[in-house]
Amino acid sequence: MASFQDIAPDLGKYIIEFAYGDIYSRPGLDLKQRQLLTITCLTTQGDCEPELSVHINTGLNVGLTQTEIIEAILHCIPYVGFPRVMNAMTIAKKVFSER
């Protein structure tokens, strides 16, 4: 969020208030489930490496295991193909090694 402060300070506010305030606080899913879904969504979108890195870290912080994250990413192969899954796995590998 800080990287946008000088050009679009409201962007961080919108992300925090909407995504984390409205969406993440809804009932029905716990934080682990929400992070697993987010990791999967970012994997399928592709070209979201910085965001994927953040959410893999967050997933680990809320209790996801490396195995759960890897399996969620692998599960995307038949739906989005190998290139996006390989990109996501590269990010996961980097996050895991940094931790």
Side-chain angles (χ1 to χ4, degrees), residues 19-86:
Y20 296 107
D22 295 338
I23 302 301
Y24 273 72
S25 65
R26 293 180 51 79
L29 297 173
D30 64 26
L31 289 177
K32 285 175 61 173
Q33 292 168 320
R34 290 183 188 284
Q35 282 305 315
L36 205 55
L37 283 166
T38 303
I39 291 165
T40 304
C41 289
L42 292 171
T43 296
T44 62
Q45 284 183 2
D47 204 27
C48 298
E49 286 81 4
E51 294 84 359
L52 184 57
S53 179
V54 166
H55 286 283
I56 289 172
N57 266 303
T58 303
L60 294 167
N61 289 343
V62 298
L64 287 174
T65 66
Q66 289 185 10
T67 301
E68 290 170 322
I69 292 168
I70 290 166
E71 287 301 319
I73 294 170
L74 286 174
H75 188 78
C76 296
I77 292 171
Y79 306 101
V80 299
F82 284 98
R84 286 190 175 162
V85 168
M86 290 169 54

